[in-house]
Amino acid sequence: MAEVRQAVEACAYGQAAAALMGARAVGLDRSGAVEMVRTVEGWLAGGEGAQWLAPLAPALGRTGRHEAILLPFRALAAAFER
C-alpha cells in the first residue's frame, strides 16, 4: 500500500485506533493487513505483546469499545479484497 487516507468519525478510542493503523499501514500488503487485525484481536483478548498498541491500554477493560478499535484495522484488510 502506497498511502492511506481516512475520514474518521468515531469515539476517542476509534480515532486513536485509526491513527495507529494509519501509521503502520503504508507498505503493507493483504497478508500484512490481516496479520495486523489478528495482532489487535489478540492484544484486546489478552493485553500482551504489540507495544505499539499501548496508547489504547485504557480500553482493554472496556470490551464494549473493542469493536470500535478493531474497525479501522478490519477496514484496511477489507480494502485489499476490493
Side-chain angles (χ1 to χ4, degrees):
M1 175 170 289
E3 74 180 71
V4 176
R5 293 185 186 183
Q6 302 181 69
V8 180
E9 294 183 24
C11 68
Y13 290 125
Q15 290 176 37
L20 291 171
M21 180 280 296
R24 299 184 70 84
V26 174
L28 289 180
D29 58 8
R30 182 190 173 284
S31 65
V34 169
E35 182 59 32
M36 193 159 50
V37 171
R38 290 184 185 136
T39 297
V40 176
E41 289 172 337
W43 181 81
L44 288 170
E48 296 182 10
Q51 295 299 323
W52 58 274
L53 290 167
L56 295 172
L60 285 172
R62 297 179 158 216
T63 56
R65 301 284 48 158
H66 289 190
E67 289 299 317
I69 291 168
L70 284 164
L71 183 62
F73 298 98
R74 289 179 174 161
L76 176 67
F80 280 102
E81 299 298 325
R82 293 185 180 156

